Amino acid sequence: MERLDPLINPGGLSRHVHSVVGGNAFGATMDFATTQSSSCTSVDLIPDKSNYWMPNLYFHKNGKFTLVPEKSPKHKIYYKYGDRGSPGKDRSEFPKGFRMMAGKADLRSDDGSLGSAGSQMEWYCHGPEVKSTGIPKGFTSCPYGLAAAMRFPSCWNGQDFNKDQPLAHMSYPTTGLGIDGCPTGFQKARFPEIFIEYWVDVSQFDGQYGANESPFVLSSGDPTGYGFHMDFLNGWQEGVLAKAMKTCNPGNTGDRLDTPQCFGAGSVQDGNAKEACKKKSSVNEDIGLNGPLSQLPGCNPIQAGPGLATAPANCAGGAAVEPISASGPSSATTATTAGLAQTTTSKPVPVDTKPTSSSPVTPTTSAKAGPTPTDTVPPSGGSSEMSPPSVNSTSGVWKAAGCFLDALNPRSLGSRPEWWGQKISSSNCVEHCDSIRAKYAGTENGGECWCGNELLNSVSHPGKCTSKCVGDASEICGGAGHLSIYSLDGLVSIKKRRTHHRHSRHFLASV
């Protein structure tokens, strides 16, 4: 469990905490090669080093948030394909690097996109047998566990994942008959259908809530459950799933992928091996493992809707991804329990186009970036906003240049935030960026330090940097989606590249 999401927030912190299952090389930035570097996996099948993740659940009462423990086996993962009694027809295994998401994280009411209860998403209290599309009411105890279940789409249009439109490249089938069962425009490939149940144990809260109360809230600040979502990054050993789908039908009737006859002797591991597969956390924050919290990790005020959740302003978060390489802003190192250090790049992850079935699978390529004109921007923002107005460092006096928008895809300043074991302030961020010979230093969200040699696709936004630094409350460290920028001459040169600016993220406010 930790606050990472390599699909929506590659290279940095996710807005909320996730429960993660699969290969132990999971990190802030990933590609297929990263998954294959896992030394173990926490799912049934050893050849599956994919990662699957979803928001955690908390119990909220008297202003405190208690992390709800997961109930063994925690995550039940099913792969369904083909028609009853016959192997998967026209089904492809996932290309290397394939990524997708199910559900809408900012949803706070039933907008009709989730289908009827049980078709795409369902919450189920086992015991009194109460179920609904959102978190159900009408019970005071779930003796056999509370579970959230979600079905992923399986029809692909051939395009890569786009974090600004995370559902656009996939669609749910209209029938169960092979590729012909996919809607028009989504017939590049039909993959096996992934269905996951996420189980939690709520028994410790028995007697603390009534049948008409809703005391549970997702880590994203969602008390309705409609914003539950799941992410998938393919890490299957190449060829294994394609071979199994041609000869076996483990998923046709809802069986889990724990069938040695389909995947070969020694391919299935027992529960002890799965439990032993751990990953050292790479985010330095308390997510509730040490007791109740006064607020949800990250910046996630409770938003009950019924409208879509929105990104809160002026969020300060002191967490950071660690440990960070001191060699510059191009890599991040993630430690695993096996003692391995996996260095991952933070460039966009392309989908491998190699066909893996009888049907060719060729994704649509994205347009190349256009020219990169440069605008020189004079200092902006008053002394009250840019605090401190200057910082003495080894190379000289760094001056505040102003408050600037932090764009997305790519980020405006560097590929991921820096961290070196201290609580962030604008002063020590400048000193750190100076030490690695970066041209610009920037602080964001009260607790992030960014270093880089160019500022991309940004604009001056005076008045938006109001977050106090977690390392020094007398200083300002940017704001929500905005950077307090420093340079030696107090000037910045903004380079323009084709991109999606941060306002596009509003659709993904709580992702």
Side-chain angles (χ1 to χ4, degrees), residues 2-143:
E2 59 185 340
R3 192 153 56 92
L4 295 179
D5 188 337
L7 268 64
I8 301 299
N9 304 102
L13 291 172
S14 169
R15 192 173 292 280
H16 57 263
V17 177
H18 291 102
S19 174
V20 184
V21 62
N24 68 342
F26 183 79
T29 306
M30 296 188 68
D31 56 14
F32 183 77
T34 311
T35 67
Q36 299 308 288
S37 71
S38 296
S39 60
C40 64
T41 180
S42 57
V43 299
D44 290 319
L45 288 166
I46 296 173
D48 181 14
K49 294 181 179 180
S50 306
N51 283 114
Y52 314 79
W53 61 99
M54 64 273 325
N56 288 92
L57 192 68
Y58 288 80
F59 179 79
H60 181 223
K61 187 173 183 178
N62 298 328
K64 297 292 184 181
F65 297 88
T66 302
L67 182 64
V68 178
E70 296 173 342
K71 182 177 178 66
S72 183
K74 304 177 183 178
H75 310 84
K76 295 181 180 180
I77 301 175
Y78 306 80
Y79 273 58
K80 300 180 182 180
Y81 51 82
D83 306 313
R84 187 180 297 274
S86 64
K89 176 186 177 183
D90 296 334
R91 296 294 179 106
S92 302
E93 70 175 7
F94 301 104
K96 293 189 294 184
F98 181 81
R99 303 164 291 171
M100 67 175 169
M101 178 179 173
K104 299 178 179 180
D106 57 353
L107 207 59
R108 295 296 183 269
S109 60
D110 189 352
D111 67 349
S113 66
L114 300 173
S116 58
S119 61
Q120 293 180 24
M121 188 178 82
E122 180 180 71
W123 288 85
Y124 204 122
C125 173
H126 294 264
E129 310 304 312
V130 179
K131 61 183 179 180
S132 69
T133 304
I135 298 175
K137 296 182 181 179
F139 61 90
T140 58
S141 174
C142 292

Side-chain angles (χ1 to χ4, degrees), residues 415-436:
S415 58
R416 46 84 177 146
E418 299 280 334
W419 191 76
W420 57 95
Q422 300 179 23
K423 291 185 176 181
I424 303 298
S425 68
S426 285
S427 294
N428 64 21
C429 179
V430 166
E431 292 169 359
H432 173 72
C433 294
D434 190 16
S435 72
I436 62 173

Side-chain angles (χ1 to χ4, degrees), residues 132-169:
S132 69
T133 304
I135 298 175
K137 296 182 181 179
F139 61 90
T140 58
S141 174
C142 292
Y144 303 116
L146 177 65
M150 178 155 278
R151 180 169 68 105
F152 280 84
S154 55
C155 297
W156 187 37
N157 66 6
Q159 297 181 2
D160 197 3
F161 178 86
N162 180 345
K163 65 180 180 180
D164 294 308
Q165 294 180 308
L167 307 179
H169 68 317

Side-chain angles (χ1 to χ4, degrees), residues 98-440:
F98 181 81
R99 303 164 291 171
M100 67 175 169
M101 178 179 173
K104 299 178 179 180
D106 57 353
L107 207 59
R108 295 296 183 269
S109 60
D110 189 352
D111 67 349
S113 66
L114 300 173
S116 58
S119 61
Q120 293 180 24
M121 188 178 82
E122 180 180 71
W123 288 85
Y124 204 122
C125 173
H126 294 264
E129 310 304 312
V130 179
K131 61 183 179 180
S132 69
T133 304
I135 298 175
K137 296 182 181 179
F139 61 90
T140 58
S141 174
C142 292
Y144 303 116
L146 177 65
M150 178 155 278
R151 180 169 68 105
F152 280 84
S154 55
C155 297
W156 187 37
N157 66 6
Q159 297 181 2
D160 197 3
F161 178 86
N162 180 345
K163 65 180 180 180
D164 294 308
Q165 294 180 308
L167 307 179
H169 68 317
M170 296 295 293
S171 179
Y172 288 93
T174 54
T175 73
L177 300 175
I179 194 71
D180 294 334
C182 291
T184 301
F186 292 86
Q187 296 184 345
K188 278 289 185 179
R190 184 167 179 179
F191 302 126
E193 177 186 300
I194 302 176
F195 179 80
I196 302 178
E197 296 176 356
Y198 174 55
W199 287 71
V200 293
D201 183 356
V202 298
S203 60
Q204 73 183 74
F205 309 110
D206 289 357
Q208 299 186 46
Y209 59 95
N212 295 321
E213 294 182 273
S214 181
F216 300 103
V217 59
L218 291 172
S219 58
S220 57
D222 174 18
T224 70
Y226 291 112
F228 187 75
H229 54 283
M230 292 185 178
D231 299 76
F232 167 73
L233 191 150
N234 176 41
W236 277 90
Q237 180 181 326
E238 193 172 12
V240 171
L241 190 55
K243 180 179 179 181
M245 288 191 295
K246 293 178 180 178
T247 57
C248 294
N249 300 312
N252 293 341
T253 57
D255 296 330
R256 290 165 58 195
L257 280 182
D258 54 4
T259 311
Q261 295 88 336
C262 292
F263 296 95
S267 61
V268 180
Q269 59 183 350
D270 60 24
N272 291 332
K274 291 192 296 181
E275 285 295 320
C277 184
K278 303 292 184 182
K279 172 190 175 296
K280 180 182 177 182
S281 177
S282 54
V283 180
N284 62 322
E285 69 178 340
D286 182 9
I287 62 171
L289 295 174
N290 300 317
L293 303 172
S294 58
Q295 62 182 21
L296 292 170
C299 191
N300 296 286
I302 293 179
Q303 299 186 63
L308 297 178
T310 58
N314 300 324
C315 292
V321 180
E322 64 171 350
I324 296 295
S325 168
S327 60
S330 62
S331 64
T333 305
T334 301
T336 69
T337 52
L340 303 176
Q342 174 60 40
T343 301
T344 60
T345 64
S346 50
K347 297 178 181 179
V349 181
V351 168
D352 189 302
T353 61
K354 181 179 178 181
T356 53
S357 73
S358 56
S359 302
V361 179
T362 306
T364 301
T365 57
S366 58
K368 294 182 179 180
T372 58
T374 299
D375 296 331
T376 300
V377 182
S380 66
S383 59
S384 60
E385 179 181 17
M386 298 302 296
S387 177
S390 62
V391 177
N392 290 318
S393 191
T394 302
S395 298
V397 179
W398 286 58
K399 300 175 183 178
C403 183
F404 291 83
L405 174 74
D406 184 8
L408 294 174
N409 194 27
R411 298 298 288 265
S412 290
L413 189 62
S415 58
R416 46 84 177 146
E418 299 280 334
W419 191 76
W420 57 95
Q422 300 179 23
K423 291 185 176 181
I424 303 298
S425 68
S426 285
S427 294
N428 64 21
C429 179
V430 166
E431 292 169 359
H432 173 72
C433 294
D434 190 16
S435 72
I436 62 173
R437 298 182 179 180
K439 184 177 180 180
Y440 301 116

